[in-house]
Amino acid sequence: MFMAHEEAGLALGLSLGSGAGHHHHLLQPKEAAPPEPCLSLSLAGAGTVKREEEERALIYCSAASSAADDLVEGYNSSGGGSRKKLRLTKDQTALLEDHFKEQSTLSHKQKASLARQLSLRPRQVEVWFQNRRARTKLKQTEVDCELLKRCCETLTEENRRLHRELQHLRALHHHQHHHPAAAFFIPSAATVASVCPSCSGAPPAHAADRPATKRTFFATKSAAC
DNA sequence: AGACAGGAGTGCCTTACGTCA
DNA sequence: GCTGACGTAAGGCACTCCTGT
């Protein structure tokens, strides 16, 4: 990769802007992180659209981040050790929510644009979306859990009922064995269609696509009753 | 003081892409 | 030219910390 860039005579650009960069801020120790000087080493011309967007985002960050930081007052850059927690305004949150409703992930372009509108750093928009996705998923998991619990209760009750019915049938069979003239037992509608429709089918196809990792386990599990 | 909400940091995984043998 | 192994970058997610309410 590096060699390709060198061969093509591409410039090694030092751009300011962690906002659009990855979140591995190895150059920023925890204590020093707050001001986010947007320092990232960027290889210009990686040759993809995404890269171009990244570049634009970096350019935006380099040009406006300091002003944005001032506006946002997210952190005290004086290096006092303790960082100030950013509180998004209602308007900022509303706009973010609006975008999240439409799309839970952002392209670089969208991220940069949204950051500009909100006077935030792209990184902050990115983090907000990450947290939003995580917390939405958590809520959904709780809902699914509740659903599964109820499904389990229903099935347990159904199981009990079927056991009773089985006992009844056995008794009847025993009775018929000794009294052949007895009428045939006609199963009730409930007996015929007593299987939970969600449980009767095969597991979802995607479940077998790959081994259930820690991450996919819950998603796979909650997909079916 | 403790619970909670939510912004942010970090490590790992996956994917895409380029290079090389 | 094709292919598989390998390296790197980037994005997402899970987990966690920490601060303000």
Side-chain angles (χ1 to χ4, degrees), chain A residues 183-195:
Chain A
F184 284 112
F185 173 77
I186 300 170
S188 68
T191 311
V192 173
S194 60
V195 180

Side-chain angles (χ1 to χ4, degrees), chain A residues 91-103 128-129 132 136:
Chain A
D91 288 345
Q92 284 174 320
T93 305
L95 190 57
L96 286 165
E97 289 285 358
D98 282 349
H99 278 75
F100 185 82
K101 263 181 223 161
E102 291 193 7
Q103 222 179 335
W128 187 90
F129 268 75
R132 188 69 173 75
T136 299

Side-chain angles (χ1 to χ4, degrees), chain A residues 126-162:
Chain A
E126 182 181 301
V127 167
W128 187 90
F129 268 75
Q130 268 176 16
N131 285 324
R132 188 69 173 75
R133 282 195 295 270
R135 281 151 190 166
T136 299
K137 188 176 182 182
L138 189 66
K139 271 186 189 168
Q140 187 56 50
T141 302
E142 287 170 5
V143 170
D144 289 347
C145 240
E146 201 52 43
L147 221 66
L148 282 170
K149 239 165 81 181
R150 257 180 273 159
C151 190
C152 182
E153 285 165 9
T154 306
L155 286 174
T156 304
E157 182 51 42
E158 183 65 11
N159 192 29
R160 277 198 210 102
R161 197 190 62 73
L162 287 171

Side-chain angles (χ1 to χ4, degrees), chain A residues 14 68 108 111 124 131 166 222:
Chain A
L14 181 65
H108 290 265
K111 193 201 300 176
Q124 290 176 306
N131 285 324
L166 184 61
S222 60

Side-chain angles (χ1 to χ4, degrees), chain A residues 17-25 36 54 57 96 100 104-108 110-112 114-115 118 120-134:
Chain A
S18 75
H22 191 45
H23 48 278
H24 294 160
H25 298 152
E36 291 216 49
E54 180 84 6
L96 286 165
F100 185 82
S104 63
T105 54
L106 292 171
S107 69
H108 290 265
Q110 291 170 319
K111 193 201 300 176
L114 201 49
L118 296 166
L120 292 172
R121 277 165 283 142
R123 168 69 184 155
Q124 290 176 306
V125 174
E126 182 181 301
V127 167
W128 187 90
F129 268 75
Q130 268 176 16
N131 285 324
R132 188 69 173 75
R133 282 195 295 270

Side-chain angles (χ1 to χ4, degrees), chain A residues 21-78:
Chain A
H22 191 45
H23 48 278
H24 294 160
H25 298 152
L26 299 176
L27 295 176
Q28 300 174 348
K30 226 171 182 180
E31 297 304 306
E36 291 216 49
C38 294
L39 180 67
S40 74
L41 197 59
S42 165
L43 288 168
T48 66
V49 175
K50 280 187 175 182
R51 274 291 202 175
E52 287 172 15
E53 289 173 356
E54 180 84 6
E55 291 305 316
R56 277 197 288 274
L58 288 172
I59 288 164
Y60 158 69
C61 186
S62 68
S65 65
S66 58
D69 287 348
D70 290 344
L71 275 171
V72 169
E73 298 177 352
Y75 293 115
N76 52 347
S77 54
S78 55

